[in-house]
């Protein structure tokens, strides 16, 4: 249950007149403790067990200040043991510093992740040359320029990452701009090492060329992390974060697919959305219905912890948390093929594996074991091995749940898949190409198995916003664009 004893505990009931006082006292204590922990270069991971909310996010400042994480576990069984083992062995070094430099006309406006801005004096000292120059009177001359965008990394865990945002401050004067990232860290022997990465990016005056150069998956990750940060903010909250995210999708359509004032022919009811950013729009759809802003998880503690994981996660894990990756196993062997995460994949003859970043699920169809009971065991074994391979190096360690078609636990996978059965046949063909292989009777039999739902598909959600979803096969590239080695045999 919630912490009700000791420093930081709240004994009063929420309806008590003492509750606000005790809550503020507990918050003050946790904040002070977090500051002390950060100064000691200690990482704090918080593991909470149970299926009810226990107020774990009250301890979030401890994890945030030290580069640790908060884990909510159903019990203290195998998942607890594996995560404790991973927490003890993971790299969580301290003292690393990241400096970011940009060309004129571009500025770094925000960094999301386990990092904090350093004061100018501390930044100058942390990024100074190993042998600082001496002035004429013997004074040490530490450079103080270019210290605005210097950040202290709270953790060096390779499974974590940073999201860096840039904005234009003026017209770009040249055909290229440069971005430079320098990572400073100390070696066990006491030395200092600087790793430098510089990128030159071409500029353009063409909006279409600019649009073609946008990586939709990266843009989606940045927008989703911004939305998760908004949802965590007491001043904004999840509801307002949802409104802002939908407004961002509408803004993208308005900027990159404006309606001509002198357009010929009858006006269309739906505004066009740029095909080049289809993957961006689909990722925003998954963000809104997923565990961070939707209702997939049970209580607010779980949603807040999911958002906290997402904000510090590296690109590989964050992409899976944003858009689940679905794989199909048809046996024999251990090979899995990547397919779009749609409910039309729920065929009884197949076994499915879903990777949602911090959680994994395996679904075994009824017909898998119809001819040979050993097929079901083979599917479970292949799923376990495949999940172990995908989870290598991740923290928290994803828990794999294996269940059969029609069981109560199957809802964990069904709820994460796009309800594509609600769309028209040509839209299903576009967004789930494997459905084309079925005969009309097989297709009807599959769609008849789904229960009625009010959950909109991606196409229906876009229509609710007044937008036309790009109906092209290229739109599934986001779902299919996984590493071939990851989808191959184990």
């Amino acid at each position: 249950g919630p912490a009700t004893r000791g420093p930081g505990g709240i004994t009063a009931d929420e309806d008590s007149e003492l509750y606000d006082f005790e809550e503020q006292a507990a918050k003050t204590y946790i904040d002070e403790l977090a500051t002390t922990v950060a100064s000691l270069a200690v990482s704090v991971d918080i593991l909470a067990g149970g299926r009810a909310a226990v107020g774990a996010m009250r301890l979030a400042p401890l994890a945030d200040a030290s580069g640790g994480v908060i884990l909510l576990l159903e019990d203290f069984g195998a998942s607890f043991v594996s995560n404790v083992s991973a927490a003890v062995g993971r790299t969580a070094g301290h003292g690393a510093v990241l400096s970011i430099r940009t060309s004129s006309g571009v500025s770094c406006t925000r960094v999301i992740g386990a990092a904090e801005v350093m004061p100018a004096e501390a930044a100058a000292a942390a990024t100074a040359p190993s042998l600082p120059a001496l002035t004429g009177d013997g004074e040490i001359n530490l450079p103080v320029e270019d210290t605005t965008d210097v950040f202290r990394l709270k953790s060096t865990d390779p499974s974590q990452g940073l999201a860096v945002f840039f904005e234009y401050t003026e017209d770009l004067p040249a055909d290229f701009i440069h971005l430079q990232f320098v990572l400073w860290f100390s070696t066990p022997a006491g030395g200092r090492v600087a790793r430098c990465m510089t990128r030159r990016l071409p500029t353009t005056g063409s909006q279409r060329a600019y649009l073609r150069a946008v990586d939709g998956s990266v843009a989606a990750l940045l927008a989703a992390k911004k939305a998760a940060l908004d949802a965590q903010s007491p001043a904004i909250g999840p509801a307002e974060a949802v409104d802002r995210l939908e407004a961002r999708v509408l803004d993208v359509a308005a900027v990159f697919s404006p309606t001509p004032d002198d357009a010929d022919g009858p006006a269309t009811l739906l505004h066009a959305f740029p095909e080049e950013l289809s993957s961006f729009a689909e990722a925003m759809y998954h963000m809104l219905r997923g565990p961070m802003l939707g209702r997939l998880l049970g209580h607010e503690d779980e949603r807040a912890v999911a958002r906290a994981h997402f904000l510090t996660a590296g690109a590989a894990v964050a992409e899976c948390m944003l858009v689940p990756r679905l794989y199909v196993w048809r046996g024999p062997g251990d090979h899995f093929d990547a397919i779009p995460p749609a409910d039309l994949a729920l065929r009884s003859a197949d076994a499915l594996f879903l990777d949602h970043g911090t959680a994994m699920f395996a679904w075994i169809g009824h017909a898998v074991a119809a001819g040979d009971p050993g097929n079901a065991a083979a599917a479970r074994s292949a799923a376990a091995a495949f999940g172990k391979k995908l989870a290598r190096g991740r923290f928290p360690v994803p828990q794999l749940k294996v269940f059969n078609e029609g069981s109560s636990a199957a809802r964990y996978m069904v709820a994460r898949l796009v309800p594509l059965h609600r769309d028209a046949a040509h839209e299903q063909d576009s967004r789930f190409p494997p459905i084309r292989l079925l005969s009309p009777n097989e297709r009807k039999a599959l769609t008849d198995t789904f229960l009625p739902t009010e959950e909109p598909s991606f196409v229906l959600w876009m229509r609710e916003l007044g937008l036309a979803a790009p109906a092209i096969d290229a739109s599934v590239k986001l779902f299919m664009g996984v590493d071939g080695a990851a989808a191959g045999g184990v």
Side-chain angles (χ1 to χ4, degrees):
T4 57
R5 296 187 180 184
I10 302 177
T11 60
D13 184 83
E14 290 189 9
D15 297 329
S16 171
E17 59 184 14
L18 297 177
Y19 180 81
D20 291 342
F21 171 78
E22 291 192 2
E23 185 180 41
Q24 184 58 44
K27 183 180 183 302
T28 301
Y29 173 79
I30 295 299
D31 290 343
E32 292 175 352
L33 183 59
T35 302
T36 302
V37 167
S39 66
L40 297 175
V42 173
S43 288
V44 177
D45 296 321
I46 299 168
L47 285 78
R51 301 189 179 185
V54 296
M57 292 307 296
R58 291 174 184 162
L59 302 177
L62 282 174
D64 293 342
S66 62
V69 301
I70 299 179
L71 301 181
L72 296 184
L73 307 171
E74 292 184 357
D75 51 42
F76 293 98
S79 180
F80 172 79
V81 173
S82 60
N83 275 286
V84 169
S85 301
V88 172
R90 74 187 182 105
T91 303
H94 296 270
V97 174
L98 175 68
S99 62
I100 302 174
R101 294 180 174 86
T102 65
S103 297
S104 174
V106 180
S107 66
C108 175
T109 57
R110 174 180 287 182
V111 171
I112 296 178
E116 63 180 359
V117 178
M118 296 184 68
E121 185 176 348
T127 58
S130 298
L131 297 175
L134 297 178
T135 61
D137 56 1
E139 292 289 336
I140 295 179
N141 183 23
L142 293 177
V144 294
E145 68 276 9
D146 296 331
T147 60
T148 302
D149 300 323
V150 179
F151 305 88
R152 181 185 73 85
L153 303 187
K154 302 174 184 178
S155 171
T156 56
D157 188 337
S159 68
Q160 296 184 349
L162 300 176
V164 183
F165 295 79
F166 299 93
E167 286 185 1
Y168 302 119
T169 58
E170 58 187 53
D171 290 341
L172 303 180
D175 294 334
F176 294 90
I177 63 166
H178 292 83
L179 304 176
Q180 187 178 77
F181 305 85
V182 183
L183 181 65
W184 308 75
F185 58 93
S186 300
T187 65
R192 296 175 68 235
V193 177
R195 304 277 186 184
C196 179
M197 181 183 72
T198 304
R199 288 289 182 267
R200 188 177 79 157
L201 303 178
T203 62
T204 179
S206 167
Q207 188 182 70
R208 301 306 301 177
Y210 180 87
L211 181 60
R212 287 193 298 267
V214 174
D215 187 320
S217 298
V218 174
L221 273 183
L222 294 174
K225 290 207 172 193
K226 227 175 195 179
L229 193 65
D230 288 342
Q232 293 288 72
S233 170
I236 301 176
E240 177 65 21
V242 168
D243 294 338
R244 292 188 177 191
L245 200 62
E246 292 182 339
R248 184 166 290 116
V249 175
L250 293 171
D251 287 343
V252 169
V255 171
F256 291 108
S257 295
T259 302
D261 295 333
D262 56 348
D264 297 330
T268 59
L269 297 178
L270 299 176
H271 190 91
F273 193 86
E275 294 180 356
E276 297 88 344
L277 296 180
S278 178
S279 61
F280 172 84
E282 292 179 63
M284 296 302 96
Y285 164 76
H286 281 278
M287 179 68 180
L288 293 176
R289 70 187 297 267
M292 291 173 280
L293 294 180
R295 287 292 180 265
L296 276 180
L297 299 179
H299 51 73
E300 183 54 34
D301 261 12
E302 292 178 320
R303 290 186 284 274
V305 168
R307 291 191 289 264
H309 289 328
F310 181 69
L311 290 172
T312 60
V317 176
E319 286 179 356
C320 293
M321 293 183 68
L322 180 58
V323 180
R325 307 300 190 193
L326 185 65
Y327 306 88
V328 60
W329 178 91
R330 296 187 174 97
D334 297 327
H335 184 77
F336 284 83
D337 294 316
I339 58 175
D343 60 1
L344 295 179
L346 295 169
R347 297 183 60 208
S348 295
D350 296 332
L352 303 176
F353 186 98
L354 187 76
D355 181 5
H356 211 175
T358 56
M360 295 179 175
F361 309 94
W363 180 91
I364 312 298
H366 285 320
V368 171
D372 181 3
N375 282 345
R380 289 173 176 269
S381 176
F386 189 56
K388 185 176 181 179
K389 178 182 178 179
L390 293 181
R392 190 173 299 137
R394 295 189 192 180
F395 184 77
V397 180
Q399 180 184 5
L400 173 62
K401 294 186 176 183
V402 183
F403 36 76
N404 295 322
E405 176 185 0
S407 65
S408 62
R411 70 186 187 278
Y412 290 115
M413 178 173 290
V414 175
R416 287 168 166 81
L417 300 179
V418 180
L420 207 59
H421 72 275
R422 297 192 62 190
D423 292 340
H426 70 279
E427 293 167 340
Q428 296 175 356
D429 291 343
S430 173
R431 306 205 166 271
F432 193 77
I435 196 68
R436 303 172 186 171
L437 302 177
L438 301 184
S439 67
N441 290 336
E442 290 175 328
R443 188 166 183 159
K444 185 179 185 304
L446 175 62
T447 55
D448 286 346
T449 62
F450 298 110
L451 297 175
T453 177
E454 296 181 356
E455 183 78 13
S457 66
F458 167 67
V459 173
L460 295 177
W461 173 73
M462 291 286 282
R463 287 175 185 165
E464 290 175 358
L465 295 180
L467 301 174
I472 54 174
D473 290 346
S475 67
V476 302
K477 287 183 178 179
L478 173 68
F479 308 131
M480 306 293 285
V482 296
D483 187 2
V490 221

